[in-house]
Amino acid sequence: MAKPTRPFPIIAKISSPSAWAAQWPVYIVSSLHMAVPGKEAPTTVDTMASPLLSLATAALAVAVLISTTEAWRATPTPLPVLPIPSAAQLKWQRREVIMFFHFGMNTFTDSEWGTGWEDPSLFYPARLDATQWMDAARAAGASLAILVAKHHDGFCVWPSEYTAHSVRASPWRGGRGDVVREFVDAARARGVDTGLYLSPWDRHDERYGQEVAYNEYYESQLHELLTGYGSVSEIWFDGAKGKDATNMTYHFQEWFQTVKQLQPSINIFSAVGPDVRWVGDETGEAGTTCWSTVNRSMITIGEASDEKYLNEGDPRGSDWVPPECDVSIRPGWFWHKSETAKPLRQLLEIYYNSVGRNCVLLLNVPPNSTGLVEDADMARLREFGAAVATIFGTDLAAGSEARASSVRGAGFAARNVLDGREDTYWAPTAEDGRRDVYWIELRRPPGAQARPFNVVRIQEHVALGQRVERHAVYVDGAPVAYGTTVGHKRLHRLPCPVAGGTVRVWITARRGPPLLSAVGLHYDPFVAAATM
């Protein structure tokens, strides 16, 4: 009787590891199969050697399968560091520059805070052109424009059904005008999203001071604005009130919930959010440390004692409420003939201190009494928008090689910080945290090393939380900038332009592994070195 034999797998005929992996069960089974007596096997081995050979063959097949399976398996996304932004908050943060239009009765009375008893016949913007306003917004790079629908004087620039103190009582458009309607229609035609401001303090309405009656009146006007004009991206509340104002309790929580019911994707601005907070000043300047997180229970609308907390945020905050920097292009919020726009240098300073410190810049531009943005203001907005585009339109880090202290996986490569995308980012391994070393480095191509830069841009992937607590920037081994928080965007203006081949960002303190979506290098020719 012939010795039992087993077929020997012919591995050389398999075209690729993936093909082998796909067929490995067949080969393993055939390698263990006992040959039938009387049937000749294509290749035979000695029975003493065949068990070991079969085991080796099976082991090889399993190893190939495991390695192939590993190649198919993506590296998981890092866990978020809570809290994190909503989709609407994230979209808002990426706007970076938005615009405010203060226009109403004060425009015609040369006032900032009206008395509430102005004659509606004073309101007559003979040349009002909301399309020109949107051109102003686009010139500044704004994708969202917010209109003051009612200021503290109580005059409504839409024909509200709940008061006689509105454009309906004015001679403008024969009493049939509606600034809000013209505003939202012009915005949509120009591809600009819209927002509205409705002042809680009302110096005209006789119900003010009657808690239930006035809150019902206010909420009814909210309902008009949020159901009659299509999608609204942001609604603005504040706690401004004169020292001699009638005592009044606002039902903010009821208002907020009504707003969300009527417009679920809207962002609500107030000192306490819930979606966007005030930065704590009206100069357009965030703190050099600026967290998107706060504890809302620690903030009260209208209380000045909260300003430092609003300005800096809270690394231990339980609520994601990023800051908005409101500032006017002129000294006042409403148009005054005697005032002029801030110079370009000051507007750029504001940009670096707001957008460059993890904020959105809300820049106010007041139309004049004819209903137009002044030509000089329009020219300044174009100048500002062009300057920002010039500075940040060219990234002197382009073409660099990126490397890092470690990489979490294939989808989280260091080079992601150079691809210009918001949804990709560099992520390190947890090992770096145990060694307390996180860094990412750009090696500029030889032809670019001589090109100087004076702005370093760093951005976090804040969709998974704000993490960086402290960082430093080195060029060719020498420190050029230090900072605390990064957030959506941190801009470092250097004391003077520098050139170099290697730029390294060290993350020296953080909440969890840092996730950086961008590192860029730029040259700003507009700001003199002495002011930087």
Side-chain angles (χ1 to χ4, degrees), residues 252-276:
F252 280 113
Q253 295 308 313
E254 286 89 334
W255 299 349
F256 293 168
Q257 291 196 36
T258 295
V259 167
K260 289 292 187 178
Q261 181 189 79
L262 298 175
Q263 300 256 4
S265 62
I266 200 170
N267 281 314
I268 298 174
F269 169 95
S270 80
V272 300
D275 303 308
V276 179

mmCIF file with all atom_site columns, all heavy atoms in Angstrom, residues 252-276:
data_model
loop_
_atom_site.group_PDB
_atom_site.id
_atom_site.type_symbol
_atom_site.label_atom_id
_atom_site.label_alt_id
_atom_site.label_comp_id
_atom_site.label_asym_id
_atom_site.label_entity_id
_atom_site.label_seq_id
_atom_site.pdbx_PDB_ins_code
_atom_site.Cartn_x
_atom_site.Cartn_y
_atom_site.Cartn_z
_atom_site.occupancy
_atom_site.B_iso_or_equiv
_atom_site.pdbx_formal_charge
_atom_site.auth_seq_id
_atom_site.auth_comp_id
_atom_site.auth_asym_id
_atom_site.auth_atom_id
_atom_site.pdbx_PDB_model_num
ATOM 1   N N   . PHE A 1 252 ? -35.445 85.779 28.263 1.00 0.00 ? 252 PHE A N   1
ATOM 2   C CA  . PHE A 1 252 ? -34.502 85.333 27.245 1.00 0.00 ? 252 PHE A CA  1
ATOM 3   C C   . PHE A 1 252 ? -34.662 83.857 26.907 1.00 0.00 ? 252 PHE A C   1
ATOM 4   O O   . PHE A 1 252 ? -34.599 83.468 25.736 1.00 0.00 ? 252 PHE A O   1
ATOM 5   C CB  . PHE A 1 252 ? -33.062 85.603 27.695 1.00 0.00 ? 252 PHE A CB  1
ATOM 6   C CG  . PHE A 1 252 ? -32.617 87.025 27.496 1.00 0.00 ? 252 PHE A CG  1
ATOM 7   C CD1 . PHE A 1 252 ? -32.356 87.851 28.580 1.00 0.00 ? 252 PHE A CD1 1
ATOM 8   C CD2 . PHE A 1 252 ? -32.456 87.538 26.219 1.00 0.00 ? 252 PHE A CD2 1
ATOM 9   C CE1 . PHE A 1 252 ? -31.945 89.164 28.400 1.00 0.00 ? 252 PHE A CE1 1
ATOM 10  C CE2 . PHE A 1 252 ? -32.043 88.850 26.023 1.00 0.00 ? 252 PHE A CE2 1
ATOM 11  C CZ  . PHE A 1 252 ? -31.780 89.671 27.118 1.00 0.00 ? 252 PHE A CZ  1
ATOM 12  N N   . GLN A 1 253 ? -34.838 83.029 27.913 1.00 0.00 ? 253 GLN A N   1
ATOM 13  C CA  . GLN A 1 253 ? -34.915 81.594 27.638 1.00 0.00 ? 253 GLN A CA  1
ATOM 14  C C   . GLN A 1 253 ? -36.130 81.252 26.789 1.00 0.00 ? 253 GLN A C   1
ATOM 15  O O   . GLN A 1 253 ? -36.042 80.406 25.888 1.00 0.00 ? 253 GLN A O   1
ATOM 16  C CB  . GLN A 1 253 ? -34.928 80.801 28.954 1.00 0.00 ? 253 GLN A CB  1
ATOM 17  C CG  . GLN A 1 253 ? -33.632 80.925 29.745 1.00 0.00 ? 253 GLN A CG  1
ATOM 18  C CD  . GLN A 1 253 ? -32.401 80.618 28.909 1.00 0.00 ? 253 GLN A CD  1
ATOM 19  O OE1 . GLN A 1 253 ? -32.369 79.614 28.179 1.00 0.00 ? 253 GLN A OE1 1
ATOM 20  N NE2 . GLN A 1 253 ? -31.387 81.458 29.008 1.00 0.00 ? 253 GLN A NE2 1
ATOM 21  N N   . GLU A 1 254 ? -37.256 81.906 27.054 1.00 0.00 ? 254 GLU A N   1
ATOM 22  C CA  . GLU A 1 254 ? -38.426 81.685 26.210 1.00 0.00 ? 254 GLU A CA  1
ATOM 23  C C   . GLU A 1 254 ? -38.161 82.165 24.778 1.00 0.00 ? 254 GLU A C   1
ATOM 24  O O   . GLU A 1 254 ? -38.529 81.511 23.802 1.00 0.00 ? 254 GLU A O   1
ATOM 25  C CB  . GLU A 1 254 ? -39.643 82.415 26.797 1.00 0.00 ? 254 GLU A CB  1
ATOM 26  C CG  . GLU A 1 254 ? -40.218 81.757 28.035 1.00 0.00 ? 254 GLU A CG  1
ATOM 27  C CD  . GLU A 1 254 ? -39.565 82.268 29.325 1.00 0.00 ? 254 GLU A CD  1
ATOM 28  O OE1 . GLU A 1 254 ? -38.405 82.730 29.277 1.00 0.00 ? 254 GLU A OE1 1
ATOM 29  O OE2 . GLU A 1 254 ? -40.229 82.203 30.379 1.00 0.00 ? 254 GLU A OE2 1
ATOM 30  N N   . TRP A 1 255 ? -37.513 83.329 24.674 1.00 0.00 ? 255 TRP A N   1
ATOM 31  C CA  . TRP A 1 255 ? -37.182 83.857 23.348 1.00 0.00 ? 255 TRP A CA  1
ATOM 32  C C   . TRP A 1 255 ? -36.251 82.906 22.599 1.00 0.00 ? 255 TRP A C   1
ATOM 33  O O   . TRP A 1 255 ? -36.461 82.615 21.420 1.00 0.00 ? 255 TRP A O   1
ATOM 34  C CB  . TRP A 1 255 ? -36.516 85.223 23.467 1.00 0.00 ? 255 TRP A CB  1
ATOM 35  C CG  . TRP A 1 255 ? -37.356 86.288 24.104 1.00 0.00 ? 255 TRP A CG  1
ATOM 36  C CD1 . TRP A 1 255 ? -38.696 86.233 24.403 1.00 0.00 ? 255 TRP A CD1 1
ATOM 37  C CD2 . TRP A 1 255 ? -36.919 87.584 24.527 1.00 0.00 ? 255 TRP A CD2 1
ATOM 38  N NE1 . TRP A 1 255 ? -39.111 87.407 24.978 1.00 0.00 ? 255 TRP A NE1 1
ATOM 39  C CE2 . TRP A 1 255 ? -38.047 88.264 25.076 1.00 0.00 ? 255 TRP A CE2 1
ATOM 40  C CE3 . TRP A 1 255 ? -35.703 88.245 24.517 1.00 0.00 ? 255 TRP A CE3 1
ATOM 41  C CZ2 . TRP A 1 255 ? -37.969 89.561 25.580 1.00 0.00 ? 255 TRP A CZ2 1
ATOM 42  C CZ3 . TRP A 1 255 ? -35.605 89.546 25.005 1.00 0.00 ? 255 TRP A CZ3 1
ATOM 43  C CH2 . TRP A 1 255 ? -36.742 90.185 25.533 1.00 0.00 ? 255 TRP A CH2 1
ATOM 44  N N   . PHE A 1 256 ? -35.231 82.430 23.300 1.00 0.00 ? 256 PHE A N   1
ATOM 45  C CA  . PHE A 1 256 ? -34.263 81.547 22.651 1.00 0.00 ? 256 PHE A CA  1
ATOM 46  C C   . PHE A 1 256 ? -34.943 80.279 22.124 1.00 0.00 ? 256 PHE A C   1
ATOM 47  O O   . PHE A 1 256 ? -34.668 79.831 21.002 1.00 0.00 ? 256 PHE A O   1
ATOM 48  C CB  . PHE A 1 256 ? -33.152 81.150 23.630 1.00 0.00 ? 256 PHE A CB  1
ATOM 49  C CG  . PHE A 1 256 ? -32.246 82.285 24.055 1.00 0.00 ? 256 PHE A CG  1
ATOM 50  C CD1 . PHE A 1 256 ? -31.371 82.115 25.114 1.00 0.00 ? 256 PHE A CD1 1
ATOM 51  C CD2 . PHE A 1 256 ? -32.282 83.509 23.406 1.00 0.00 ? 256 PHE A CD2 1
ATOM 52  C CE1 . PHE A 1 256 ? -30.530 83.146 25.516 1.00 0.00 ? 256 PHE A CE1 1
ATOM 53  C CE2 . PHE A 1 256 ? -31.437 84.555 23.804 1.00 0.00 ? 256 PHE A CE2 1
ATOM 54  C CZ  . PHE A 1 256 ? -30.560 84.368 24.868 1.00 0.00 ? 256 PHE A CZ  1
ATOM 55  N N   . GLN A 1 257 ? -35.817 79.704 22.940 1.00 0.00 ? 257 GLN A N   1
ATOM 56  C CA  . GLN A 1 257 ? -36.460 78.469 22.499 1.00 0.00 ? 257 GLN A CA  1
ATOM 57  C C   . GLN A 1 257 ? -37.427 78.715 21.342 1.00 0.00 ? 257 GLN A C   1
ATOM 58  O O   . GLN A 1 257 ? -37.552 77.886 20.437 1.00 0.00 ? 257 GLN A O   1
ATOM 59  C CB  . GLN A 1 257 ? -37.174 77.806 23.682 1.00 0.00 ? 257 GLN A CB  1
ATOM 60  C CG  . GLN A 1 257 ? -36.184 77.274 24.711 1.00 0.00 ? 257 GLN A CG  1
ATOM 61  C CD  . GLN A 1 257 ? -36.809 76.292 25.677 1.00 0.00 ? 257 GLN A CD  1
ATOM 62  O OE1 . GLN A 1 257 ? -37.682 75.503 25.313 1.00 0.00 ? 257 GLN A OE1 1
ATOM 63  N NE2 . GLN A 1 257 ? -36.349 76.319 26.922 1.00 0.00 ? 257 GLN A NE2 1
ATOM 64  N N   . THR A 1 258 ? -38.071 79.864 21.344 1.00 0.00 ? 258 THR A N   1
ATOM 65  C CA  . THR A 1 258 ? -38.934 80.211 20.216 1.00 0.00 ? 258 THR A CA  1
ATOM 66  C C   . THR A 1 258 ? -38.113 80.341 18.940 1.00 0.00 ? 258 THR A C   1
ATOM 67  O O   . THR A 1 258 ? -38.511 79.851 17.871 1.00 0.00 ? 258 THR A O   1
ATOM 68  C CB  . THR A 1 258 ? -39.673 81.533 20.497 1.00 0.00 ? 258 THR A CB  1
ATOM 69  O OG1 . THR A 1 258 ? -40.558 81.342 21.597 1.00 0.00 ? 258 THR A OG1 1
ATOM 70  C CG2 . THR A 1 258 ? -40.467 81.984 19.274 1.00 0.00 ? 258 THR A CG2 1
ATOM 71  N N   . VAL A 1 259 ? -36.975 81.008 19.046 1.00 0.00 ? 259 VAL A N   1
ATOM 72  C CA  . VAL A 1 259 ? -36.085 81.188 17.887 1.00 0.00 ? 259 VAL A CA  1
ATOM 73  C C   . VAL A 1 259 ? -35.680 79.837 17.313 1.00 0.00 ? 259 VAL A C   1
ATOM 74  O O   . VAL A 1 259 ? -35.746 79.611 16.100 1.00 0.00 ? 259 VAL A O   1
ATOM 75  C CB  . VAL A 1 259 ? -34.842 82.002 18.287 1.00 0.00 ? 259 VAL A CB  1
ATOM 76  C CG1 . VAL A 1 259 ? -33.773 81.916 17.206 1.00 0.00 ? 259 VAL A CG1 1
ATOM 77  C CG2 . VAL A 1 259 ? -35.212 83.456 18.541 1.00 0.00 ? 259 VAL A CG2 1
ATOM 78  N N   . LYS A 1 260 ? -35.267 78.916 18.164 1.00 0.00 ? 260 LYS A N   1
ATOM 79  C CA  . LYS A 1 260 ? -34.823 77.595 17.692 1.00 0.00 ? 260 LYS A CA  1
ATOM 80  C C   . LYS A 1 260 ? -35.979 76.789 17.105 1.00 0.00 ? 260 LYS A C   1
ATOM 81  O O   . LYS A 1 260 ? -35.777 75.985 16.188 1.00 0.00 ? 260 LYS A O   1
ATOM 82  C CB  . LYS A 1 260 ? -34.180 76.824 18.842 1.00 0.00 ? 260 LYS A CB  1
ATOM 83  C CG  . LYS A 1 260 ? -32.818 77.359 19.267 1.00 0.00 ? 260 LYS A CG  1
ATOM 84  C CD  . LYS A 1 260 ? -31.766 77.144 18.196 1.00 0.00 ? 260 LYS A CD  1
ATOM 85  C CE  . LYS A 1 260 ? -30.388 77.520 18.708 1.00 0.00 ? 260 LYS A CE  1
ATOM 86  N NZ  . LYS A 1 260 ? -29.328 77.286 17.704 1.00 0.00 ? 260 LYS A NZ  1
ATOM 87  N N   . GLN A 1 261 ? -37.161 76.992 17.628 1.00 0.00 ? 261 GLN A N   1
ATOM 88  C CA  . GLN A 1 261 ? -38.311 76.296 17.068 1.00 0.00 ? 261 GLN A CA  1
ATOM 89  C C   . GLN A 1 261 ? -38.615 76.794 15.663 1.00 0.00 ? 261 GLN A C   1
ATOM 90  O O   . GLN A 1 261 ? -38.916 76.011 14.756 1.00 0.00 ? 261 GLN A O   1
ATOM 91  C CB  . GLN A 1 261 ? -39.528 76.513 17.969 1.00 0.00 ? 261 GLN A CB  1
ATOM 92  C CG  . GLN A 1 261 ? -40.793 75.804 17.505 1.00 0.00 ? 261 GLN A CG  1
ATOM 93  C CD  . GLN A 1 261 ? -42.002 76.217 18.311 1.00 0.00 ? 261 GLN A CD  1
ATOM 94  O OE1 . GLN A 1 261 ? -42.577 77.285 18.087 1.00 0.00 ? 261 GLN A OE1 1
ATOM 95  N NE2 . GLN A 1 261 ? -42.369 75.382 19.284 1.00 0.00 ? 261 GLN A NE2 1
ATOM 96  N N   . LEU A 1 262 ? -38.500 78.092 15.472 1.00 0.00 ? 262 LEU A N   1
ATOM 97  C CA  . LEU A 1 262 ? -38.830 78.683 14.175 1.00 0.00 ? 262 LEU A CA  1
ATOM 98  C C   . LEU A 1 262 ? -37.717 78.521 13.144 1.00 0.00 ? 262 LEU A C   1
ATOM 99  O O   . LEU A 1 262 ? -37.987 78.385 11.951 1.00 0.00 ? 262 LEU A O   1
ATOM 100 C CB  . LEU A 1 262 ? -39.157 80.175 14.357 1.00 0.00 ? 262 LEU A CB  1
ATOM 101 C CG  . LEU A 1 262 ? -40.360 80.489 15.244 1.00 0.00 ? 262 LEU A CG  1
ATOM 102 C CD1 . LEU A 1 262 ? -40.504 81.993 15.430 1.00 0.00 ? 262 LEU A CD1 1
ATOM 103 C CD2 . LEU A 1 262 ? -41.642 79.902 14.656 1.00 0.00 ? 262 LEU A CD2 1
ATOM 104 N N   . GLN A 1 263 ? -36.453 78.562 13.603 1.00 0.00 ? 263 GLN A N   1
ATOM 105 C CA  . GLN A 1 263 ? -35.304 78.456 12.698 1.00 0.00 ? 263 GLN A CA  1
ATOM 106 C C   . GLN A 1 263 ? -34.261 77.541 13.351 1.00 0.00 ? 263 GLN A C   1
ATOM 107 O O   . GLN A 1 263 ? -33.321 78.013 14.004 1.00 0.00 ? 263 GLN A O   1
ATOM 108 C CB  . GLN A 1 263 ? -34.704 79.843 12.426 1.00 0.00 ? 263 GLN A CB  1
ATOM 109 C CG  . GLN A 1 263 ? -35.652 80.829 11.790 1.00 0.00 ? 263 GLN A CG  1
ATOM 110 C CD  . GLN A 1 263 ? -35.378 81.036 10.303 1.00 0.00 ? 263 GLN A CD  1
ATOM 111 O OE1 . GLN A 1 263 ? -34.518 80.396 9.714  1.00 0.00 ? 263 GLN A OE1 1
ATOM 112 N NE2 . GLN A 1 263 ? -36.124 81.934 9.691  1.00 0.00 ? 263 GLN A NE2 1
ATOM 113 N N   . PRO A 1 264 ? -34.388 76.236 13.197 1.00 0.00 ? 264 PRO A N   1
ATOM 114 C CA  . PRO A 1 264 ? -33.530 75.293 13.929 1.00 0.00 ? 264 PRO A CA  1
ATOM 115 C C   . PRO A 1 264 ? -32.032 75.445 13.661 1.00 0.00 ? 264 PRO A C   1
ATOM 116 O O   . PRO A 1 264 ? -31.222 75.131 14.527 1.00 0.00 ? 264 PRO A O   1
ATOM 117 C CB  . PRO A 1 264 ? -34.034 73.921 13.453 1.00 0.00 ? 264 PRO A CB  1
ATOM 118 C CG  . PRO A 1 264 ? -35.447 74.166 13.023 1.00 0.00 ? 264 PRO A CG  1
ATOM 119 C CD  . PRO A 1 264 ? -35.456 75.547 12.437 1.00 0.00 ? 264 PRO A CD  1
ATOM 120 N N   . SER A 1 265 ? -31.641 75.921 12.490 1.00 0.00 ? 265 SER A N   1
ATOM 121 C CA  . SER A 1 265 ? -30.210 76.003 12.167 1.00 0.00 ? 265 SER A CA  1
ATOM 122 C C   . SER A 1 265 ? -29.617 77.371 12.438 1.00 0.00 ? 265 SER A C   1
ATOM 123 O O   . SER A 1 265 ? -28.452 77.634 12.110 1.00 0.00 ? 265 SER A O   1
ATOM 124 C CB  . SER A 1 265 ? -29.987 75.645 10.693 1.00 0.00 ? 265 SER A CB  1
ATOM 125 O OG  . SER A 1 265 ? -30.645 76.568 9.844  1.00 0.00 ? 265 SER A OG  1
ATOM 126 N N   . ILE A 1 266 ? -30.383 78.263 13.062 1.00 0.00 ? 266 ILE A N   1
ATOM 127 C CA  . ILE A 1 266 ? -29.919 79.624 13.334 1.00 0.00 ? 266 ILE A CA  1
ATOM 128 C C   . ILE A 1 266 ? -28.896 79.621 14.462 1.00 0.00 ? 266 ILE A C   1
ATOM 129 O O   . ILE A 1 266 ? -28.879 78.727 15.314 1.00 0.00 ? 266 ILE A O   1
ATOM 130 C CB  . ILE A 1 266 ? -31.128 80.521 13.704 1.00 0.00 ? 266 ILE A CB  1
ATOM 131 C CG1 . ILE A 1 266 ? -30.818 81.998 13.516 1.00 0.00 ? 266 ILE A CG1 1
ATOM 132 C CG2 . ILE A 1 266 ? -31.596 80.232 15.128 1.00 0.00 ? 266 ILE A CG2 1
ATOM 133 C CD1 . ILE A 1 266 ? -32.054 82.891 13.647 1.00 0.00 ? 266 ILE A CD1 1
ATOM 134 N N   . ASN A 1 267 ? -28.022 80.635 14.490 1.00 0.00 ? 267 ASN A N   1
ATOM 135 C CA  . ASN A 1 267 ? -27.138 80.874 15.625 1.00 0.00 ? 267 ASN A CA  1
ATOM 136 C C   . ASN A 1 267 ? -27.673 82.060 16.414 1.00 0.00 ? 267 ASN A C   1
ATOM 137 O O   . ASN A 1 267 ? -27.980 83.118 15.842 1.00 0.00 ? 267 ASN A O   1
ATOM 138 C CB  . ASN A 1 267 ? -25.709 81.169 15.162 1.00 0.00 ? 267 ASN A CB  1
ATOM 139 C CG  . ASN A 1 267 ? -24.959 79.904 14.780 1.00 0.00 ? 267 ASN A CG  1
ATOM 140 O OD1 . ASN A 1 267 ? -24.994 78.907 15.507 1.00 0.00 ? 267 ASN A OD1 1
ATOM 141 N ND2 . ASN A 1 267 ? -24.278 79.930 13.651 1.00 0.00 ? 267 ASN A ND2 1
ATOM 142 N N   . ILE A 1 268 ? -27.774 81.884 17.721 1.00 0.00 ? 268 ILE A N   1
ATOM 143 C CA  . ILE A 1 268 ? -28.256 82.950 18.599 1.00 0.00 ? 268 ILE A CA  1
ATOM 144 C C   . ILE A 1 268 ? -27.063 83.619 19.257 1.00 0.00 ? 268 ILE A C   1
ATOM 145 O O   . ILE A 1 268 ? -26.260 82.968 19.928 1.00 0.00 ? 268 ILE A O   1
ATOM 146 C CB  . ILE A 1 268 ? -29.197 82.392 19.676 1.00 0.00 ? 268 ILE A CB  1
ATOM 147 C CG1 . ILE A 1 268 ? -30.443 81.771 19.032 1.00 0.00 ? 268 ILE A CG1 1
ATOM 148 C CG2 . ILE A 1 268 ? -29.599 83.493 20.654 1.00 0.00 ? 268 ILE A CG2 1
ATOM 149 C CD1 . ILE A 1 268 ? -31.351 81.071 20.024 1.00 0.00 ? 268 ILE A CD1 1
ATOM 150 N N   . PHE A 1 269 ? -26.956 84.938 19.059 1.00 0.00 ? 269 PHE A N   1
ATOM 151 C CA  . PHE A 1 269 ? -25.914 85.730 19.714 1.00 0.00 ? 269 PHE A CA  1
ATOM 152 C C   . PHE A 1 269 ? -26.489 86.422 20.947 1.00 0.00 ? 269 PHE A C   1
ATOM 153 O O   . PHE A 1 269 ? -27.555 87.044 20.890 1.00 0.00 ? 269 PHE A O   1
ATOM 154 C CB  . PHE A 1 269 ? -25.371 86.798 18.767 1.00 0.00 ? 269 PHE A CB  1
ATOM 155 C CG  . PHE A 1 269 ? -24.474 87.813 19.454 1.00 0.00 ? 269 PHE A CG  1
ATOM 156 C CD1 . PHE A 1 269 ? -23.101 87.657 19.452 1.00 0.00 ? 269 PHE A CD1 1
ATOM 157 C CD2 . PHE A 1 269 ? -25.018 88.905 20.118 1.00 0.00 ? 269 PHE A CD2 1
ATOM 158 C CE1 . PHE A 1 269 ? -22.284 88.579 20.100 1.00 0.00 ? 269 PHE A CE1 1
ATOM 159 C CE2 . PHE A 1 269 ? -24.218 89.830 20.774 1.00 0.00 ? 269 PHE A CE2 1
ATOM 160 C CZ  . PHE A 1 269 ? -22.838 89.664 20.767 1.00 0.00 ? 269 PHE A CZ  1
ATOM 161 N N   . SER A 1 270 ? -25.766 86.327 22.043 1.00 0.00 ? 270 SER A N   1
ATOM 162 C CA  . SER A 1 270 ? -25.988 87.169 23.220 1.00 0.00 ? 270 SER A CA  1
ATOM 163 C C   . SER A 1 270 ? -24.760 86.987 24.098 1.00 0.00 ? 270 SER A C   1
ATOM 164 O O   . SER A 1 270 ? -23.873 86.179 23.783 1.00 0.00 ? 270 SER A O   1
ATOM 165 C CB  . SER A 1 270 ? -27.257 86.772 23.986 1.00 0.00 ? 270 SER A CB  1
ATOM 166 O OG  . SER A 1 270 ? -27.028 85.645 24.817 1.00 0.00 ? 270 SER A OG  1
ATOM 167 N N   . ALA A 1 271 ? -24.696 87.692 25.182 1.00 0.00 ? 271 ALA A N   1
ATOM 168 C CA  . ALA A 1 271 ? -23.549 87.534 26.078 1.00 0.00 ? 271 ALA A CA  1
ATOM 169 C C   . ALA A 1 271 ? -23.418 86.103 26.585 1.00 0.00 ? 271 ALA A C   1
ATOM 170 O O   . ALA A 1 271 ? -22.313 85.631 26.858 1.00 0.00 ? 271 ALA A O   1
ATOM 171 C CB  . ALA A 1 271 ? -23.658 88.501 27.251 1.00 0.00 ? 271 ALA A CB  1
ATOM 172 N N   . VAL A 1 272 ? -24.552 85.405 26.692 1.00 0.00 ? 272 VAL A N   1
ATOM 173 C CA  . VAL A 1 272 ? -24.512 84.031 27.190 1.00 0.00 ? 272 VAL A CA  1
ATOM 174 C C   . VAL A 1 272 ? -24.763 83.009 26.081 1.00 0.00 ? 272 VAL A C   1
ATOM 175 O O   . VAL A 1 272 ? -25.001 81.844 26.353 1.00 0.00 ? 272 VAL A O   1
ATOM 176 C CB  . VAL A 1 272 ? -25.548 83.821 28.314 1.00 0.00 ? 272 VAL A CB  1
ATOM 177 C CG1 . VAL A 1 272 ? -25.269 84.756 29.472 1.00 0.00 ? 272 VAL A CG1 1
ATOM 178 C CG2 . VAL A 1 272 ? -26.966 84.003 27.801 1.00 0.00 ? 272 VAL A CG2 1
ATOM 179 N N   . GLY A 1 273 ? -24.737 83.432 24.839 1.00 0.00 ? 273 GLY A N   1
ATOM 180 C CA  . GLY A 1 273 ? -25.030 82.506 23.754 1.00 0.00 ? 273 GLY A CA  1
ATOM 181 C C   . GLY A 1 273 ? -26.540 82.363 23.585 1.00 0.00 ? 273 GLY A C   1
ATOM 182 O O   . GLY A 1 273 ? -27.253 83.364 23.628 1.00 0.00 ? 273 GLY A O   1
ATOM 183 N N   . PRO A 1 274 ? -27.015 81.191 23.328 1.00 0.00 ? 274 PRO A N   1
ATOM 184 C CA  . PRO A 1 274 ? -26.372 79.893 23.538 1.00 0.00 ? 274 PRO A CA  1
ATOM 185 C C   . PRO A 1 274 ? -25.396 79.459 22.455 1.00 0.00 ? 274 PRO A C   1
ATOM 186 O O   . PRO A 1 274 ? -24.664 78.493 22.642 1.00 0.00 ? 274 PRO A O   1
ATOM 187 C CB  . PRO A 1 274 ? -27.560 78.926 23.569 1.00 0.00 ? 274 PRO A CB  1
ATOM 188 C CG  . PRO A 1 274 ? -28.582 79.581 22.709 1.00 0.00 ? 274 PRO A CG  1
ATOM 189 C CD  . PRO A 1 274 ? -28.442 81.050 22.946 1.00 0.00 ? 274 PRO A CD  1
ATOM 190 N N   . ASP A 1 275 ? -25.345 80.177 21.325 1.00 0.00 ? 275 ASP A N   1
ATOM 191 C CA  . ASP A 1 275 ? -24.506 79.719 20.216 1.00 0.00 ? 275 ASP A CA  1
ATOM 192 C C   . ASP A 1 275 ? -23.272 80.582 20.009 1.00 0.00 ? 275 ASP A C   1
ATOM 193 O O   . ASP A 1 275 ? -22.203 80.072 19.667 1.00 0.00 ? 275 ASP A O   1
ATOM 194 C CB  . ASP A 1 275 ? -25.325 79.685 18.919 1.00 0.00 ? 275 ASP A CB  1
ATOM 195 C CG  . ASP A 1 275 ? -26.551 78.809 19.028 1.00 0.00 ? 275 ASP A CG  1
ATOM 196 O OD1 . ASP A 1 275 ? -26.388 77.644 19.433 1.00 0.00 ? 275 ASP A OD1 1
ATOM 197 O OD2 . ASP A 1 275 ? -27.661 79.275 18.732 1.00 0.00 ? 275 ASP A OD2 1
ATOM 198 N N   . VAL A 1 276 ? -23.413 81.878 20.172 1.00 0.00 ? 276 VAL A N   1
ATOM 199 C CA  . VAL A 1 276 ? -22.317 82.820 19.950 1.00 0.00 ? 276 VAL A CA  1
ATOM 200 C C   . VAL A 1 276 ? -22.336 83.828 21.087 1.00 0.00 ? 276 VAL A C   1
ATOM 201 O O   . VAL A 1 276 ? -23.403 84.316 21.470 1.00 0.00 ? 276 VAL A O   1
ATOM 202 C CB  . VAL A 1 276 ? -22.480 83.562 18.599 1.00 0.00 ? 276 VAL A CB  1
ATOM 203 C CG1 . VAL A 1 276 ? -21.345 84.556 18.383 1.00 0.00 ? 276 VAL A CG1 1
ATOM 204 C CG2 . VAL A 1 276 ? -22.532 82.569 17.444 1.00 0.00 ? 276 VAL A CG2 1
#
